[in-house]
Amino acid sequence: MFGNRRALLRGIGWATPTAVVSTVVPAYAMSQHDVRFDVNFDGGSGANGFYNTTYLNLGIAPGGTAPFVLTQDLVISVEVVGLNPDSSRERSFSAGSSDGTIVRGTYNPATRTIPLTWTIRAGRSIPRAGIATSNPDIYFIFNDGGLSNRITNKIVITSITGGSTSRALPIDSSVIKDYRSGNVSPDGIY
């Protein structure tokens, strides 16, 4: 029937369906170090040097994919800088966050700064930069800065570990100003 065994096997080979093996290649997983974070300041509820409240908000920079779930802790170093030239006078304030922990350092009269370390734990979802309640934030309450020659402050982000920022460091509240220009004190000085 068939001329030889070889022709028979060749015919069977072409007629036999073959299984196609497919492997799914996972999509590129974005590293946390590839994500650009952005910060903004929202506050200025009182005149400079008087009782004042403000927020430091964190989010994904414009153009980035949001939300992003942190794969490792994000550590942000912040300084509250006194703008009064009298370094012996430190303005009292409190800082808190429901998004991680804040460790407060001691006042340095030489630089008129109080360092804060804000740690946001892995697993926290970070939305696009904004002032919504879903944005991780630090809430600052600055007390009255005195009767004369009032103490005023600015907030400066000095470093970020576990990610990068869309702006060059340091990020100074008095340079980028408040998110809302209609605040009582929109100049980023509190």
Side-chain angles (χ1 to χ4, degrees):
M1 296 198 174
F2 295 100
N4 59 35
R5 278 192 294 168
R6 223 176 247 182
L8 176 64
L9 292 175
R10 197 176 319 125
I12 292 173
W14 281 106
T16 306
T18 57
V20 176
V21 177
S22 169
T23 59
V24 177
V25 178
Y28 170 70
M30 184 176 288
S31 164
Q32 188 165 313
H33 291 283
D34 296 331
V35 176
R36 297 267 186 229
F37 296 97
D38 196 11
V39 298
N40 62 60
F41 302 93
D42 180 33
S45 63
N48 293 350
F50 288 83
Y51 179 85
N52 209 331
T53 59
T54 189
Y55 290 89
L56 162 60
N57 296 286
L58 177 80
I60 302 299
T65 303
F68 179 81
V69 177
L70 296 179
T71 56
Q72 65 186 66
D73 291 354
L74 188 66
V75 181
I76 302 167
S77 297
V78 179
E79 290 182 346
V80 174
V81 181
L83 300 176
N84 186 305
D86 180 0
S87 64
S88 66
R89 296 176 59 214
E90 173 189 351
R91 184 177 182 191
S92 63
F93 74 92
S94 60
S97 179
S98 57
D99 304 292
T101 58
I102 297 176
V103 176
R104 182 177 177 153
T106 56
Y107 177 67
N108 180 342
T111 59
R112 299 186 309 274
T113 61
I114 299 171
L116 303 172
T117 304
W118 182 24
T119 304
I120 304 170
R121 297 287 176 216
R124 173 64 161 94
S125 179
I126 309 294
R128 189 162 314 287
I131 59 171
T133 56
S134 60
N135 285 88
D137 59 41
I138 299 177
Y139 178 59
F140 292 91
I141 300 173
F142 290 100
N143 293 322
D144 197 316
L147 297 175
S148 63
N149 197 16
R150 288 185 176 274
I151 301 172
T152 56
N153 296 87
K154 65 181 181 177
I155 302 167
V156 179
I157 312 307
T158 58
S159 72
I160 184 167
T161 304
S164 60
T165 61
S166 61
R167 303 173 197 253
L169 293 171
I171 302 171
D172 186 323
S173 66
S174 69
V175 173
I176 68 168
K177 314 292 186 209
D178 273 0
Y179 187 83
R180 292 188 267 199
S181 60
N183 287 334
V184 174
S185 175
D187 57 6
I189 296 174
Y190 310 106

